[in-house]
Amino acid sequence: MPGILDGIRVFDLSIAAVGPWASKLLGELGADVIKVESPGGELSHAIPPPIKGTAVLYISANFNKRNIVLDLKEEGDRAIALKLVEKSDVFVQNMRPGAVERLGLGYDVVSQLNPRLVYVSASAYGRTGPMAKEAGIDPTVQAFGGWCSITGRSGSQGEMFRHLAHLDITTSTMIVEAVLQALLARERSGKGQHIEIDMVSAAMSLQTSRLAEYFATGEQPQPMGSAVATTVPHQAFLCEDQEYLAVGVVSEDQWPRFCRAIGQEALCDDPRFTTNPKRVENRAALVALLEDHFKTKPTRWWSLRLTQAGVPNTRVDRTVNFQALRADPQVTGNQHIVDLETPHWGTLSVDGLPWKFEKTPAGPVRPGGLQGEQTEEVLREFGIAAETPERNGRGKRLEP
């Protein structure tokens, strides 16, 4: 059964993580994604570790695509690119502002050629302002966006960086959301449009609640470790076995159930803790009591009682690594991780589809290819191969 974006073609001129991950998701929704690289390849090829000579980042960010090579600095290849764009629905690029325009593929040019094109320009800091032309990566945008000031242990000066692509992938998903909206708008108007997305906006969206605190009070939110600013108790507690249990009491009806489950019914009647606003106000006193109490029993004991009471909790088992996660029945049962047979790298365990559609199923996840592997195939489809010198599998012209 065709995917929800079956019949939509994406011209993917993106690099590294933000753009490639977004176009990968579009491919998993059924779009035909054509990844275009220069002969030198995009920068993710140089990021370790590799699998059989290909960077893991390049592999994982480019499933469900066809890979071609074009030297856009050459007039002939630029003309080929314009022919592909003319028959595409979506254009995704995340180069520095001005770079794509210098290649002759800016929105002003391609929208004249294809008025129905949905064109995405993703950047680090936005396309206007004094930092518009600066390069940005996830950690530098974390620092600029205030992220580092609110993460880290309570009472600390903050946590510098989390090198886990939080902002990269959030920006990627925002690109997908925007593309879907623009395609819907095109169905109504018949016209495409230019979409601008930046990583700072992604950083702001992830900090919405903490920004709201600041705007409401005028006070800078502080690092709180595992605690949550708006509800109490809502954090991890060290237990007797020296493991942590994360607990979240997020509604008033959970509070008495929590107290009964941990054998502290008297807390329900304590006037300092009867409502969540009061518990937030008296956080220090309540947390101190709970920290001492949770140390009297192991995490498993507390977890069983809280789960039976319907109070959200989970063991923070630091021995549960990716290997254990891969075999967890919750993960395998929901296909959060799937095995993928690839022609170049063998069997890979990869992230599964993030959505499940009843009538227009996404996927399946398909392996990508090597740089430029489908160049000949794609050019033939567009009737271009006969007009250009023969190329090999990596898109380079062969000697006659």
Side-chain angles (χ1 to χ4, degrees):
M1 185 178 295
I4 199 167
L5 291 183
D6 183 58
I8 297 296
R9 179 176 292 118
V10 179
F11 186 94
D12 178 15
L13 192 61
S14 61
I15 59 175
V18 170
W21 202 272
S23 54
K24 178 191 98 162
L25 293 175
L26 293 171
E28 290 179 344
L29 285 169
D32 175 22
V33 181
I34 300 173
K35 181 176 179 65
V36 182
E37 292 182 72
S38 68
E42 58 129 314
L43 61 86
S44 67
H45 287 289
I47 298 177
I51 295 179
K52 296 185 177 180
T54 305
V56 170
L57 175 58
Y58 182 84
I59 295 172
S60 62
N62 290 291
F63 296 139
N64 291 69
K65 300 182 185 181
R66 296 191 289 169
N67 303 328
I68 73 171
V69 165
L70 294 174
D71 187 347
L72 297 176
K73 295 181 180 178
E74 292 189 4
E75 184 177 348
D77 279 12
R78 188 161 54 250
I80 291 173
L82 289 172
K83 288 185 178 181
L84 301 184
V85 171
E86 187 176 10
K87 296 180 181 180
S88 295
D89 301 279
V90 179
F91 187 118
V92 178
Q93 65 91 6
N94 64 317
M95 298 181 183
R96 288 195 202 186
V100 171
E101 287 78 5
R102 288 191 294 274
L103 292 173
L105 293 172
Y107 179 70
D108 290 345
V109 173
V110 300
S111 62
Q112 295 297 316
L113 187 67
N114 182 355
R116 289 176 54 82
L117 188 69
V118 172
Y119 188 107
V120 178
S121 297
S123 62
Y125 299 105
R127 299 183 70 81
T128 60
M131 299 178 67
K133 294 185 178 181
E134 292 188 20
I137 56 176
D138 202 303
T140 63
V141 179
Q142 288 179 33
F144 178 83
W147 183 287
C148 301
S149 70
I150 61 171
T151 55
R153 291 180 289 107
S154 178
S156 71
Q157 295 182 354
E159 180 180 278
M160 290 305 293
F161 303 120
R162 296 186 177 190
H163 295 271
L164 290 174
H166 295 285
L167 302 185
D168 283 340
I169 304 306
T170 300
T171 309
S172 300
T173 58
M174 292 177 76
I175 290 173
V176 174
E177 293 166 0
V179 166
L180 295 176
Q181 292 177 74
L183 289 173
L184 179 60
R186 191 181 72 171
E187 287 299 305
R188 298 169 177 169
S189 69
K191 297 180 180 179
Q193 59 185 298
H194 190 190
I195 301 169
E196 295 186 355
I197 292 178
D198 60 81
M199 294 176 66
V200 174
S201 295
M204 298 298 183
S205 71
L206 284 178
Q207 299 176 98
T208 297
S209 61
R210 306 309 302 275
L211 284 168
E213 293 171 36
Y214 170 73
F215 292 133
T217 66
E219 297 179 4
Q220 168 66 32
Q222 297 299 310
M224 301 184 66
S226 66
V228 174
T230 54
T231 52
V232 179
H234 196 163
Q235 64 183 78
F237 292 97
L238 185 66
C239 301
E240 183 184 41
D241 53 3
Q242 297 302 298
E243 295 294 338
Y244 283 89
L245 182 73
V247 179
V249 175
V250 296
S251 63
E252 293 298 359
D253 66 296
Q254 290 174 356
W255 171 241
R257 299 205 305 271
F258 170 81
C259 294
R260 289 192 294 270
I262 67 171
Q264 292 289 299
E265 291 87 345
L267 291 177
C268 293
D269 300 321
D270 191 315
R272 296 173 296 173
F273 311 136
T274 51
T275 66
N276 182 63
K278 290 182 178 180
R279 293 194 294 275
V280 171
E281 181 182 354
N282 297 288
R283 175 193 301 272
L286 177 57
V287 168
L289 290 170
L290 294 177
E291 284 179 335
D292 289 340
H293 191 62
F294 271 99
K295 290 177 182 177
T296 64
K297 293 288 191 295
T299 51
R300 182 65 175 165
W301 196 91
W302 295 121
S303 182
L304 285 172
R305 291 182 65 86
L306 290 169
T307 299
Q308 290 171 357
V311 177
N313 73 93
T314 188
R315 296 170 65 193
V316 185
D317 191 343
R318 288 167 288 181
T319 66
V320 175
N321 53 26
F322 288 161
Q323 182 175 356
L325 186 66
R326 176 181 178 180
D328 189 281
Q330 187 67 27
V331 172
T332 56
N334 287 278
Q335 295 186 310
H336 294 141
I337 296 176
V338 297
D339 287 334
L340 180 66
E341 298 296 330
T342 71
H344 304 296
W345 310 292
T347 302
L348 301 179
S349 292
V350 304
D351 51 300
L353 298 172
W355 339 262
K356 290 180 174 62
F357 294 89
E358 178 188 1
K359 297 181 179 178
T360 51
V365 179
R366 293 181 288 102
L370 299 174
Q371 179 192 353
E373 184 175 358
Q374 286 84 29
T375 300
E376 286 294 330
E377 170 190 315
V378 171
L379 295 187
R380 278 197 299 270
E381 281 186 21
F382 282 78
I384 298 173
E387 305 171 17
T388 61
E390 186 180 5
R391 300 164 181 265
N392 66 12
R394 296 181 67 83
K396 299 176 182 177
R397 290 183 175 83
L398 294 173
E399 295 297 327

